[in-house]
Amino acid sequence: MLEAARRIVAEKGSLKMSLSDVGVAAGYSRGQPSHHFGSKAALMRALALYIQRHFETELAKATQVRQGYALLEALVSLDRKSTRLNSSHANISYA
């Protein structure tokens, strides 16, 4: 129901959204959101928390990706330094 409410708010705005709209859009009865949330205000509070959690999850994913890129860049840099070191000592005989 929260995803349906999010879509409706994005399309029509919260003032034009009704609990009945949410029920129908979510595939439930028109009265289900009223029964579940009790009021439009309670639905909006739940929707705000839902959006906040979604944002936090996406932010955490983006941070992990960024950290992964940083690690990959560090490994590539280390490999380049290692390759340069090995090539600079290529003429040394270890016999």
Side-chain angles (χ1 to χ4, degrees), residues 10-57:
E11 291 171 14
K12 296 175 19 174
S14 61
L15 295 177
K16 293 183 180 178
M17 179 194 74
S18 71
L19 292 174
S20 297
D21 293 340
V22 174
V24 171
Y28 295 106
S29 70
R30 297 175 79 76
Q32 182 62 31
S34 181
H35 174 74
H36 186 77
F37 295 103
S39 68
K40 184 176 175 179
L43 169 63
M44 292 304 294
R45 283 191 296 274
L47 181 58
L49 287 173
Y50 173 77
I51 292 169
Q52 179 183 357
R53 288 186 187 122
H54 178 75
F55 175 79
E56 289 169 350
T57 299

Side-chain angles (χ1 to χ4, degrees), residues 26-86:
Y28 295 106
S29 70
R30 297 175 79 76
Q32 182 62 31
S34 181
H35 174 74
H36 186 77
F37 295 103
S39 68
K40 184 176 175 179
L43 169 63
M44 292 304 294
R45 283 191 296 274
L47 181 58
L49 287 173
Y50 173 77
I51 292 169
Q52 179 183 357
R53 288 186 187 122
H54 178 75
F55 175 79
E56 289 169 350
T57 299
E58 292 303 312
L59 182 60
K61 286 180 190 176
T63 301
Q64 289 173 346
V65 167
R66 192 174 27 216
Q67 289 171 344
Y69 283 131
L71 176 60
L72 180 60
E73 288 173 357
L75 290 172
V76 167
S77 176
L78 182 60
D79 183 53
R80 286 181 183 147
K81 288 176 185 174
S82 174
T83 302
R84 279 193 300 256
L85 180 63
N86 288 338

